[in-house]
Amino acid sequence: MNYQEGLTFVDSFLPIAVGICLGCLASLGAREFWHEFAVAFKGGSQ
C-alpha cells in the first residue's frame, strides 16, 4: 500500500480524529477515576 499516491483527505484526517477521540475518552476516564477516588477517600459510598 503506497501512501504517496493514495493520501486523500480522509486518510490524513482519520488519524487526527481518532487521536482526538482517544484524548477525550482518556480525559473523561481520568475525571471519573479521580471522582471515584475522591469519594472513596472521603469514606462516602454514593
Side-chain angles (χ1 to χ4, degrees):
M1 192 160 137
N2 192 358
Y3 274 107
Q4 291 304 100
E5 61 186 37
L7 193 64
T8 62
F9 175 76
V10 175
D11 289 330
S12 57
F13 181 75
L14 197 61
I16 298 171
V18 170
I20 292 171
C21 287
L22 286 176
C24 289
L25 284 174
S27 76
L28 284 174
R31 282 180 56 194
E32 283 296 315
F33 172 78
W34 283 116
H35 176 72
E36 292 298 322
F37 179 78
V39 169
F41 188 73
K42 288 174 187 168
S45 58
Q46 286 153 329

